[in-house]
Amino acid sequence: MFQCKLTALDYHNPAGFNCKDETEFRNFTVWLEDQKIRHYKIEDRGNLRNIHSSDWPEFFQKYLRDVNCRLKIQDRQEAIDWLLGLAVRFEYGDNAEKYKDLVPDNTKTADNATKNAEPLINLDVNNPDFKFNVMMIAWMQLLKQIKQKRTNIFLVLTQEMQFLMKLLKFCDCCTQKSSDSYRQKLMKP
């Protein structure tokens, strides 16, 4: 769950980190404050470093407040993720020159960059699965409205049929086919 951020922060065991283990969680918090976040002065980190103290949860909660994290210690995974995000921001801020020219692996080619920038560019509106899913979404919306209103079903059906007709016209425009043939294909049982 945290492996990508832990790897980016050079954590010694990103794949084996177990946030449910209390000792590992406490040691990780101390490492994160000592090495990456550095919110407290070194001499003020004593309470957080005392991982065997029964008062450590209170110190950790205070630490969360001090770094402006609104999460509670009970939300451990969310708090860890928030702290990791803060540490990554600080790490980038400290080494911006080092990271400014890096390009993510998945955007090195122009094709991948285009695909990532426009995820709908390769959408095939002629695909029967696409058409079926669009129709299912429209019907689910209709059923949702009927359940919510439970009043004038005729009015709801009329509105939904108008919506479906507009949707079909849109699909026809996208595929540049005659609307009658598509309606017939889509309406077949």
Coordinates of all heavy atoms in Angstrom, one line a residue, residues 28-103:
F28 N 9.2 3.4 12.5 CA 9.0 4.1 11.2 C 8.7 5.5 11.4 O 9.2 6.4 10.7 CB 7.8 3.4 10.4 CG 7.3 4.2 9.3 CD1 8.0 4.4 8.1 CD2 6.1 4.9 9.4 CE1 7.5 5.1 7.1 CE2 5.6 5.7 8.4 CZ 6.3 5.8 7.2
T29 N 7.8 5.9 12.3 CA 7.5 7.2 12.6 C 8.7 8.0 13.0 O 8.9 9.2 12.6 CB 6.4 7.3 13.7 OG1 5.3 6.5 13.3 CG2 5.9 8.7 14.0
V30 N 9.5 7.4 13.9 CA 10.7 8.1 14.3 C 11.7 8.3 13.2 O 12.2 9.4 13.0 CB 11.4 7.3 15.5 CG1 12.8 7.8 15.8 CG2 10.6 7.3 16.7
W31 N 11.8 7.3 12.3 CA 12.7 7.4 11.1 C 12.2 8.5 10.2 O 13.0 9.4 9.7 CB 12.7 6.1 10.4 CG 13.4 6.2 9.1 CD1 14.8 6.1 8.8 CD2 12.9 6.4 7.8 NE1 15.1 6.3 7.5 CE2 13.9 6.5 6.8 CE3 11.6 6.6 7.3 CZ2 13.7 6.7 5.5 CZ3 11.3 6.8 6.0 CH2 12.4 6.9 5.1
L32 N 10.9 8.6 10.0 CA 10.3 9.6 9.1 C 10.5 11.0 9.6 O 10.9 11.9 8.9 CB 8.8 9.3 9.0 CG 8.1 9.9 7.8 CD1 8.7 9.4 6.5 CD2 6.6 9.5 7.8
E33 N 10.4 11.2 10.9 CA 10.6 12.5 11.5 C 12.1 12.8 11.5 O 12.5 14.0 11.1 CB 10.1 12.6 12.9 CG 10.5 13.8 13.7 CD 10.1 15.1 13.1 OE1 9.2 15.2 12.3 OE2 10.8 16.1 13.5
D34 N 12.9 11.9 11.9 CA 14.4 12.1 11.9 C 15.0 12.4 10.6 O 15.8 13.3 10.4 CB 15.1 11.0 12.6 CG 15.0 10.9 14.1 OD1 14.6 11.9 14.7 OD2 15.3 9.9 14.7
Q35 N 14.6 11.6 9.6 CA 15.3 11.7 8.3 C 14.6 12.5 7.2 O 15.3 13.1 6.4 CB 15.4 10.2 7.7 CG 16.2 9.3 8.6 CD 17.6 9.7 8.8 OE1 18.3 10.1 7.8 NE2 18.1 9.7 10.0
K36 N 13.3 12.6 7.3 CA 12.6 13.3 6.1 C 11.8 14.5 6.5 O 11.9 15.5 5.8 CB 11.6 12.2 5.4 CG 12.3 11.0 5.0 CD 13.4 11.3 4.0 CE 14.2 10.1 3.5 NZ 15.2 10.4 2.6
I37 N 10.9 14.4 7.5 CA 10.1 15.5 7.8 C 10.8 16.6 8.6 O 10.7 17.8 8.3 CB 8.8 15.1 8.6 CG1 8.0 14.1 7.6 CG2 7.9 16.2 9.0 CD1 6.8 13.5 8.2
R38 N 11.5 16.2 9.7 CA 12.3 17.1 10.5 C 11.5 18.3 11.0 O 12.0 19.5 10.9 CB 13.6 17.5 9.7 CG 14.4 16.3 9.3 CD 15.7 16.7 8.7 NE 15.5 17.5 7.4 CZ 15.4 17.0 6.2 NH1 15.4 15.7 6.1 NH2 15.3 17.8 5.2
H39 N 10.3 18.1 11.5 CA 9.5 19.2 12.0 C 10.0 19.7 13.3 O 10.1 20.9 13.6 CB 8.0 18.8 12.1 CG 7.1 19.8 12.7 ND1 6.7 20.9 11.9 CD2 6.6 20.0 13.9 CE1 5.9 21.7 12.6 NE2 5.8 21.1 13.9
Y40 N 10.3 18.8 14.2 CA 10.9 19.1 15.6 C 12.4 19.3 15.5 O 13.1 18.7 14.7 CB 10.6 18.0 16.6 CG 9.1 17.8 17.0 CD1 8.7 16.5 17.3 CD2 8.2 18.8 17.0 CE1 7.4 16.3 17.7 CE2 6.9 18.6 17.4 CZ 6.5 17.3 17.7 OH 5.2 17.1 18.1
K41 N 12.9 20.1 16.4 CA 14.3 20.2 16.6 C 14.8 18.9 17.2 O 14.0 18.2 17.8 CB 14.6 21.3 17.6 CG 14.3 22.7 17.0 CD 14.6 23.8 18.1 CE 14.3 25.1 17.6 NZ 14.5 26.2 18.6
I42 N 16.0 18.6 17.0 CA 16.5 17.3 17.4 C 16.3 17.0 18.9 O 15.9 15.9 19.3 CB 18.0 17.1 17.1 CG1 18.2 17.1 15.6 CG2 18.7 15.9 17.7 CD1 19.7 17.1 15.1
E43 N 16.5 18.1 19.7 CA 16.3 17.9 21.1 C 14.9 17.7 21.5 O 14.5 17.3 22.6 CB 17.0 19.1 21.9 CG 16.5 20.4 21.5 CD 17.3 21.1 20.4 OE1 18.1 20.4 19.7 OE2 17.0 22.3 20.1
D44 N 13.9 18.1 20.7 CA 12.5 18.0 21.0 C 11.9 16.7 20.5 O 10.7 16.5 20.7 CB 11.7 19.2 20.3 CG 12.2 20.5 20.9 OD1 12.7 20.5 22.1 OD2 12.0 21.5 20.2
R45 N 12.7 15.8 20.0 CA 12.1 14.5 19.4 C 12.1 13.4 20.5 O 11.8 12.3 20.1 CB 12.9 14.1 18.2 CG 12.9 15.1 17.1 CD 13.7 14.7 15.9 NE 13.8 15.7 14.9 CZ 14.7 15.8 13.9 NH1 15.6 14.8 13.8 NH2 14.6 16.8 13.1
G46 N 12.6 13.7 21.7 CA 12.7 12.6 22.7 C 11.5 11.8 23.0 O 11.5 10.6 23.1
N47 N 10.3 12.5 23.1 CA 9.1 11.8 23.4 C 8.7 10.9 22.3 O 8.2 9.8 22.5 CB 8.0 12.8 23.7 CG 8.1 13.5 25.0 OD1 8.8 13.0 25.9 ND2 7.6 14.7 25.1
L48 N 8.9 11.3 21.1 CA 8.6 10.5 19.9 C 9.5 9.3 19.8 O 9.1 8.2 19.4 CB 8.6 11.4 18.6 CG 7.8 10.9 17.5 CD1 6.3 10.7 17.8 CD2 7.9 11.9 16.3
R49 N 10.8 9.5 20.1 CA 11.8 8.5 20.1 C 11.6 7.4 21.1 O 12.1 6.3 21.0 CB 13.2 9.1 20.2 CG 13.6 9.8 18.9 CD 15.0 10.3 19.1 NE 15.5 10.9 17.8 CZ 16.5 11.7 17.7 NH1 17.2 12.0 18.8 NH2 16.9 12.2 16.6
N50 N 10.9 7.7 22.2 CA 10.7 6.8 23.3 C 9.6 5.9 22.9 O 8.5 5.9 23.4 CB 10.4 7.5 24.6 CG 10.4 6.6 25.8 OD1 10.7 5.4 25.7 ND2 10.1 7.2 26.9
I51 N 9.9 4.9 22.0 CA 8.8 4.1 21.4 C 8.3 3.0 22.4 O 7.2 2.5 22.2 CB 9.3 3.3 20.2 CG1 10.5 2.4 20.5 CG2 9.7 4.3 19.1 CD1 10.8 1.5 19.4
H52 N 9.0 2.8 23.5 CA 8.5 1.8 24.5 C 7.6 2.5 25.6 O 7.1 1.8 26.5 CB 9.7 1.1 25.1 CG 10.5 0.3 24.1 ND1 10.0 -0.7 23.4 CD2 11.7 0.5 23.7 CE1 10.9 -1.2 22.6 NE2 12.0 -0.4 22.7
S53 N 7.4 3.8 25.5 CA 6.6 4.5 26.5 C 5.1 4.2 26.3 O 4.6 4.1 25.2 CB 6.8 6.0 26.4 OG 5.9 6.7 27.2
S54 N 4.4 4.1 27.5 CA 3.0 3.8 27.4 C 2.3 5.1 26.9 O 1.1 5.1 26.5 CB 2.4 3.4 28.7 OG 2.7 4.4 29.7
D55 N 2.9 6.3 27.0 CA 2.4 7.5 26.6 C 2.6 7.8 25.1 O 2.3 8.9 24.6 CB 2.9 8.7 27.5 CG 2.5 8.5 28.9 OD1 1.4 8.0 29.1 OD2 3.2 9.0 29.8
W56 N 3.3 6.9 24.4 CA 3.7 7.2 23.0 C 2.5 7.6 22.2 O 2.6 8.5 21.3 CB 4.5 6.0 22.4 CG 5.1 6.4 21.1 CD1 6.4 6.9 21.0 CD2 4.6 6.3 19.8 NE1 6.6 7.1 19.7 CE2 5.5 6.7 18.9 CE3 3.4 5.8 19.3 CZ2 5.3 6.8 17.6 CZ3 3.1 5.9 18.0 CH2 4.1 6.3 17.1
P57 N 1.3 6.9 22.3 CA 0.2 7.3 21.4 C -0.2 8.8 21.6 O -0.5 9.4 20.6 CB -0.9 6.4 21.9 CG -0.2 5.2 22.4 CD 1.0 5.7 23.0
E58 N -0.1 9.3 22.8 CA -0.4 10.7 23.0 C 0.6 11.6 22.3 O 0.3 12.6 21.8 CB -0.5 11.1 24.5 CG -1.7 10.5 25.2 CD -1.5 9.0 25.6 OE1 -0.4 8.6 25.9 OE2 -2.6 8.3 25.7
F59 N 1.9 11.2 22.4 CA 3.0 12.0 21.8 C 2.8 11.9 20.2 O 3.0 12.9 19.6 CB 4.4 11.4 22.1 CG 4.7 11.5 23.6 CD1 5.3 10.4 24.2 CD2 4.3 12.6 24.4 CE1 5.6 10.4 25.6 CE2 4.6 12.6 25.7 CZ 5.2 11.6 26.3
F60 N 2.4 10.8 19.7 CA 2.2 10.7 18.3 C 1.0 11.6 17.9 O 1.0 12.2 16.8 CB 1.9 9.2 17.9 CG 1.7 9.1 16.4 CD1 2.7 9.3 15.5 CD2 0.4 8.7 15.9 CE1 2.5 9.1 14.1 CE2 0.2 8.6 14.6 CZ 1.2 8.8 13.7
Q61 N -0.1 11.6 18.7 CA -1.2 12.4 18.3 C -0.8 13.9 18.4 O -1.3 14.7 17.5 CB -2.4 12.1 19.3 CG -3.7 12.8 18.9 CD -4.2 12.3 17.6 OE1 -4.4 11.1 17.5 NE2 -4.5 13.2 16.7
K62 N 0.0 14.3 19.3 CA 0.5 15.6 19.4 C 1.3 15.9 18.1 O 1.2 17.0 17.5 CB 1.3 15.9 20.7 CG 1.8 17.3 20.8 CD 2.7 17.4 22.0 CE 3.3 18.8 22.2 NZ 3.8 19.5 21.0
Y63 N 2.1 15.0 17.7 CA 3.0 15.1 16.6 C 2.1 15.4 15.3 O 2.4 16.3 14.5 CB 3.9 13.9 16.4 CG 4.7 13.9 15.1 CD1 5.7 14.8 15.0 CD2 4.5 13.0 14.1 CE1 6.5 14.9 13.8 CE2 5.2 13.1 12.9 CZ 6.3 14.0 12.8 OH 7.0 14.0 11.7
L64 N 1.0 14.6 15.2 CA 0.1 14.8 14.1 C -0.5 16.2 14.1 O -0.5 16.8 13.0 CB -1.0 13.7 14.1 CG -0.6 12.3 13.8 CD1 -1.8 11.4 13.9 CD2 0.0 12.2 12.4
R65 N -0.9 16.7 15.2 CA -1.4 18.0 15.3 C -0.3 19.1 14.9 O -0.6 20.0 14.2 CB -1.9 18.3 16.7 CG -3.3 17.8 17.0 CD -3.9 18.4 18.3 NE -3.0 18.3 19.4 CZ -2.9 17.2 20.3 NH1 -3.7 16.2 20.1 NH2 -2.1 17.2 21.3
D66 N 0.9 18.8 15.4 CA 2.0 19.8 15.2 C 2.3 19.9 13.7 O 2.8 20.9 13.2 CB 3.2 19.4 16.0 CG 3.0 19.6 17.5 OD1 2.0 20.3 17.9 OD2 3.8 19.1 18.3
V67 N 2.2 18.8 12.9 CA 2.5 18.9 11.5 C 1.2 19.2 10.7 O 1.2 19.0 9.5 CB 3.2 17.6 11.0 CG1 4.5 17.4 11.6 CG2 2.3 16.4 11.2
N68 N 0.2 19.6 11.4 CA -1.1 20.0 10.8 C -1.9 18.9 10.1 O -2.5 19.1 9.1 CB -0.9 21.2 9.8 CG -0.4 22.4 10.5 OD1 -0.9 22.7 11.6 ND2 0.5 23.1 9.9
C69 N -1.8 17.7 10.7 CA -2.5 16.6 10.2 C -3.8 16.4 11.0 O -3.7 16.4 12.3 CB -1.7 15.3 10.3 SG -2.6 13.8 9.7
R70 N -4.9 16.4 10.4 CA -6.2 16.4 11.2 C -6.6 14.9 11.5 O -7.7 14.8 12.1 CB -7.3 17.0 10.4 CG -7.0 18.5 10.1 CD -8.0 19.2 9.3 NE -7.7 20.5 9.1 CZ -8.5 21.5 8.7 NH1 -9.7 21.2 8.5 NH2 -8.1 22.7 8.5
L71 N -5.9 14.0 11.1 CA -6.2 12.6 11.4 C -5.9 12.2 12.8 O -5.1 12.8 13.5 CB -5.5 11.7 10.4 CG -5.8 11.9 9.0 CD1 -4.8 11.2 8.1 CD2 -7.2 11.4 8.7
K72 N -6.5 11.1 13.3 CA -6.3 10.6 14.7 C -5.4 9.4 14.6 O -5.3 8.8 13.5 CB -7.7 10.3 15.3 CG -8.7 11.4 15.3 CD -8.3 12.4 16.4 CE -9.3 13.5 16.5 NZ -8.8 14.8 16.8
I73 N -4.9 9.0 15.7 CA -4.0 7.8 15.8 C -4.8 6.6 15.4 O -4.2 5.6 14.9 CB -3.3 7.7 17.1 CG1 -2.2 6.7 17.1 CG2 -4.3 7.4 18.2 CD1 -1.3 6.6 18.2
Q74 N -6.1 6.6 15.6 CA -6.9 5.4 15.3 C -7.0 5.2 13.8 O -7.2 4.1 13.3 CB -8.4 5.6 15.8 CG -8.5 5.6 17.3 CD -8.2 7.0 17.9 OE1 -8.0 8.0 17.2 NE2 -8.2 7.0 19.2
D75 N -6.8 6.3 13.0 CA -6.8 6.2 11.5 C -5.3 6.0 11.1 O -4.8 6.8 10.3 CB -7.3 7.5 10.9 CG -8.7 7.8 11.4 OD1 -9.5 6.9 11.6 OD2 -8.9 9.0 11.7
R76 N -4.7 4.9 11.5 CA -3.3 4.7 11.4 C -2.9 4.7 9.9 O -1.9 5.4 9.5 CB -2.9 3.4 12.0 CG -1.4 3.1 11.9 CD -1.0 1.8 12.6 NE -1.0 2.0 14.0 CZ -0.5 1.1 14.9 NH1 0.1 0.0 14.4 NH2 -0.6 1.3 16.1
Q77 N -3.5 3.9 9.1 CA -3.1 3.8 7.7 C -3.2 5.2 7.0 O -2.3 5.6 6.2 CB -3.9 2.8 6.9 CG -3.5 1.4 7.3 CD -4.2 0.3 6.5 OE1 -5.3 0.6 5.9 NE2 -3.7 -0.9 6.5
E78 N -4.3 5.9 7.2 CA -4.5 7.2 6.6 C -3.4 8.2 7.1 O -2.9 9.0 6.3 CB -5.9 7.7 6.9 CG -7.0 7.0 6.2 CD -7.5 5.8 7.0 OE1 -6.9 5.4 8.0 OE2 -8.5 5.1 6.6
A79 N -3.1 8.1 8.4 CA -2.1 9.0 9.0 C -0.7 8.7 8.4 O 0.0 9.6 8.0 CB -2.1 8.9 10.5
I80 N -0.4 7.4 8.2 CA 0.9 7.0 7.6 C 0.9 7.6 6.2 O 1.9 8.2 5.8 CB 1.1 5.5 7.6 CG1 1.3 5.0 9.1 CG2 2.2 5.1 6.7 CD1 1.3 3.5 9.2
D81 N -0.1 7.4 5.4 CA -0.2 7.9 4.1 C 0.0 9.4 4.0 O 0.7 9.9 3.2 CB -1.5 7.4 3.4 CG -1.4 7.7 1.9 OD1 -0.5 7.2 1.2 OD2 -2.4 8.3 1.3
W82 N -0.7 10.1 4.9 CA -0.6 11.5 5.0 C 0.9 12.0 5.3 O 1.4 12.9 4.6 CB -1.6 12.1 6.0 CG -1.7 13.6 5.9 CD1 -2.6 14.3 5.2 CD2 -0.9 14.6 6.6 NE1 -2.4 15.6 5.4 CE2 -1.4 15.8 6.2 CE3 0.2 14.5 7.4 CZ2 -0.8 17.0 6.7 CZ3 0.8 15.7 7.9 CH2 0.3 16.9 7.5
L83 N 1.5 11.3 6.3 CA 2.8 11.6 6.6 C 3.8 11.3 5.5 O 4.8 12.1 5.3 CB 3.2 10.9 7.9 CG 2.6 11.4 9.2 CD1 2.9 10.4 10.4 CD2 3.0 12.8 9.6
L84 N 3.6 10.2 4.8 CA 4.4 9.9 3.7 C 4.3 10.9 2.6 O 5.3 11.3 2.0 CB 4.1 8.5 3.1 CG 4.6 7.3 4.0 CD1 4.0 6.0 3.5 CD2 6.1 7.2 3.9
G85 N 3.1 11.4 2.3 CA 2.9 12.4 1.3 C 3.6 13.7 1.7 O 4.3 14.4 0.9
L86 N 3.6 14.1 3.0 CA 4.3 15.2 3.5 C 5.8 15.0 3.3 O 6.5 15.9 2.8 CB 4.0 15.5 5.0 CG 4.6 16.7 5.7 CD1 4.1 18.0 5.0 CD2 4.3 16.6 7.2
A87 N 6.3 13.9 3.6 CA 7.7 13.6 3.5 C 8.2 13.6 2.0 O 9.2 14.2 1.7 CB 8.0 12.2 4.1
V88 N 7.3 13.1 1.1 CA 7.7 13.2 -0.3 C 7.7 14.6 -0.8 O 8.7 15.0 -1.5 CB 6.7 12.3 -1.1 CG1 6.8 12.6 -2.6 CG2 6.9 10.8 -0.8
R89 N 6.8 15.4 -0.3 CA 6.8 16.9 -0.7 C 8.1 17.5 -0.2 O 8.7 18.3 -0.9 CB 5.6 17.6 -0.1 CG 4.3 17.4 -0.9 CD 3.2 18.3 -0.5 NE 2.9 18.2 0.9 CZ 1.9 17.5 1.4 NH1 1.0 17.0 0.6 NH2 1.7 17.5 2.7
F90 N 8.5 17.3 1.1 CA 9.7 17.8 1.6 C 10.9 17.3 0.9 O 11.9 18.1 0.6 CB 9.8 17.6 3.1 CG 8.8 18.3 4.0 CD1 8.5 17.9 5.2 CD2 8.3 19.5 3.5 CE1 7.6 18.6 6.0 CE2 7.4 20.3 4.3 CZ 7.0 19.8 5.5
E91 N 10.9 16.0 0.6 CA 12.1 15.4 -0.1 C 12.2 16.1 -1.5 O 13.3 16.4 -1.9 CB 11.9 13.9 -0.3 CG 13.0 13.2 -1.0 CD 14.2 13.1 -0.1 OE1 14.2 13.3 1.1 OE2 15.3 12.7 -0.7
Y92 N 11.1 16.3 -2.2 CA 11.2 17.0 -3.5 C 11.7 18.4 -3.3 O 12.5 18.9 -4.1 CB 9.8 16.9 -4.2 CG 9.9 17.7 -5.5 CD1 10.4 17.1 -6.6 CD2 9.4 19.0 -5.6 CE1 10.5 17.8 -7.8 CE2 9.5 19.7 -6.8 CZ 10.0 19.1 -7.9 OH 10.1 19.8 -9.0
G93 N 11.1 19.1 -2.3 CA 11.5 20.5 -2.1 C 13.0 20.6 -1.8 O 13.7 21.6 -2.2
D94 N 13.5 19.7 -1.0 CA 15.0 19.7 -0.7 C 15.8 19.4 -1.9 O 17.0 19.8 -1.9 CB 15.3 18.7 0.4 CG 14.7 19.1 1.8 OD1 14.3 20.2 1.9 OD2 14.6 18.2 2.7
N95 N 15.3 18.6 -2.8 CA 16.1 18.1 -4.0 C 15.5 18.4 -5.3 O 15.5 17.6 -6.2 CB 16.4 16.6 -3.9 CG 17.1 16.2 -2.6 OD1 18.2 16.7 -2.3 ND2 16.5 15.4 -1.8
A96 N 14.9 19.6 -5.4 CA 14.1 19.9 -6.6 C 15.0 19.9 -7.9 O 14.5 19.4 -8.9 CB 13.4 21.3 -6.5
E97 N 16.2 20.3 -7.8 CA 17.1 20.3 -8.9 C 17.4 18.9 -9.4 O 17.5 18.6 -10.6 CB 18.4 21.0 -8.6 CG 18.3 22.5 -8.5 CD 17.9 23.2 -9.8 OE1 18.4 22.8 -10.8 OE2 17.0 24.1 -9.7
K98 N 17.5 18.0 -8.5 CA 17.8 16.6 -8.8 C 16.6 15.9 -9.5 O 16.8 15.1 -10.4 CB 18.0 15.8 -7.5 CG 18.2 14.3 -7.6 CD 18.4 13.7 -6.2 CE 18.3 12.2 -6.2 NZ 18.4 11.7 -4.9
Y99 N 15.4 16.3 -9.2 CA 14.2 15.7 -9.8 C 13.6 16.4 -10.9 O 12.7 15.9 -11.6 CB 13.1 15.5 -8.7 CG 13.5 14.6 -7.5 CD1 13.6 15.1 -6.2 CD2 13.9 13.3 -7.7 CE1 14.0 14.3 -5.2 CE2 14.3 12.5 -6.7 CZ 14.3 13.0 -5.4 OH 14.7 12.2 -4.4
K100 N 14.0 17.6 -11.2 CA 13.3 18.4 -12.2 C 13.3 17.9 -13.6 O 12.4 18.1 -14.4 CB 13.7 19.9 -12.2 CG 15.1 20.2 -12.8 CD 15.4 21.6 -12.9 CE 16.6 21.9 -13.7 NZ 16.9 23.2 -13.8
D101 N 14.4 17.2 -14.0 CA 14.6 16.7 -15.3 C 14.2 15.3 -15.5 O 14.3 14.7 -16.6 CB 16.0 16.9 -15.8 CG 16.4 18.4 -15.9 OD1 15.6 19.2 -16.2 OD2 17.6 18.7 -15.6
L102 N 13.7 14.6 -14.4 CA 13.3 13.2 -14.5 C 12.0 13.1 -15.3 O 11.1 14.0 -15.1 CB 13.2 12.6 -13.2 CG 14.5 12.4 -12.4 CD1 14.2 11.8 -11.1 CD2 15.4 11.5 -13.2
V103 N 11.9 12.1 -16.1 CA 10.6 11.8 -16.8 C 10.1 10.4 -16.3 O 10.9 9.5 -16.3 CB 10.9 11.8 -18.3 CG1 9.6 11.4 -19.1 CG2 11.5 13.1 -18.8

